[in-house]
Amino acid sequence: INGFTISNDGADGILIKNTDNISVKDSIISANDAVGINIINSTNTLVKDTKVDNSTNGIIVNGSVNTKLERIDVIDSYDNGVWILNSQKTTLKDSLLENNGQDPYFSSAHQVLLDGSDDTSLLNNRINYGVFGIRLKNNNDVVTIDNNTVYEGIGDAILLEGRFSNVNITRNDLDGSFMGINFN
């Protein structure tokens, strides 16, 4: 999927389900009251140089393996910017997440939510103006959070809850959030 502009209301912008080797490049996706890009039970998915805005959740990676999200802009999603759920080998890098998770009283108000996933890398991202910057919940193993800038959130820049192991948090710039790193 290359060079598309997709605007949907009440339905996913792009649904990638039970697939192998799918790429989304140079596209603009908007899915009001739905998920911008929904990746379910898929392997080797690449989303690159793409903008997702005005969606309920910007991008969901669910039950998938080897997903790469590179140079994406996820802006103005109501719930989560990027939600990585029960997945393995997901990389989010060189991306902008801005003003996602807009309701501080809603439990899914996150720029990046990592939920029960393994071998995840969050590298060199800019995360601005949301509630929580990066949140790990439930069981997460082998997580690298490196060289990200998280600022001006009304919640914690990085929140770790539940069980997690082998988490490396290095060289991040955290500014203007409620707490920098919160181990809860």
Side-chain angles (χ1 to χ4, degrees):
I1 302 170
N2 191 346
F4 278 79
T5 298
I6 298 171
S7 183
N8 251 355
D9 196 4
D12 294 345
I14 297 175
L15 174 62
I16 300 169
K17 185 174 181 181
N18 300 320
T19 63
D20 294 324
N21 303 312
I22 299 293
S23 296
V24 177
K25 296 180 182 177
D26 299 312
S27 295
I28 300 170
I29 314 299
S30 178
N32 189 35
D33 291 326
V35 180
I37 300 174
N38 201 352
I39 304 166
I40 303 170
N41 298 324
S42 294
T43 304
N44 299 325
T45 304
L46 172 66
V47 180
K48 186 173 183 179
D49 298 320
T50 292
K51 179 179 180 181
V52 179
D53 68 356
N54 193 33
S55 301
T56 303
N57 287 283
I59 298 173
I60 296 178
V61 179
N62 184 358
S64 294
V65 178
N66 199 30
T67 303
K68 292 186 179 5
L69 309 172
E70 298 179 14
R71 295 192 311 258
I72 57 171
D73 293 349
V74 182
I75 300 169
D76 294 328
S77 295
Y78 182 77
D79 293 342
N80 299 296
V82 174
W83 183 4
I84 302 167
L85 173 65
N86 300 321
S87 293
Q88 299 173 352
K89 298 182 182 177
T90 304
T91 300
L92 171 63
K93 73 179 209 174
D94 301 324
S95 296
L96 170 67
L97 289 93
E98 190 166 81
N99 202 37
N100 299 296
Q102 298 170 7
D103 187 347
Y105 301 103
F106 188 74
S107 63
S108 293
H110 309 95
Q111 300 273 18
V112 179
L113 177 58
L114 185 55
D115 187 353
S117 294
D118 298 329
D119 199 9
T120 305
S121 298
L122 308 175
L123 311 170
N124 197 35
N125 299 294
R126 202 169 71 223
I127 300 170
N128 314 321
Y129 310 115
V131 178
F132 291 101
I134 299 168
R135 179 180 176 200
L136 279 66
K137 76 175 202 178
N138 296 322
N139 299 327
N140 293 283
D141 188 30
V142 188
V143 177
T144 301
I145 301 171
D146 181 59
N147 202 31
N148 298 283
T149 300
V150 182
Y151 67 93
E152 298 302 326
I154 61 174
D156 302 330
I158 300 174
L159 172 61
L160 295 98
E161 296 180 306
R163 296 177 181 257
F164 44 86
S165 60
N166 300 311
V167 176
N168 293 302
I169 302 172
T170 53
R171 302 180 309 152
N172 296 283
D173 183 9
L174 313 175
D175 186 26
S177 299
F178 181 70
M179 290 189 197
I181 300 174
N182 182 358
F183 291 90
N184 189 348

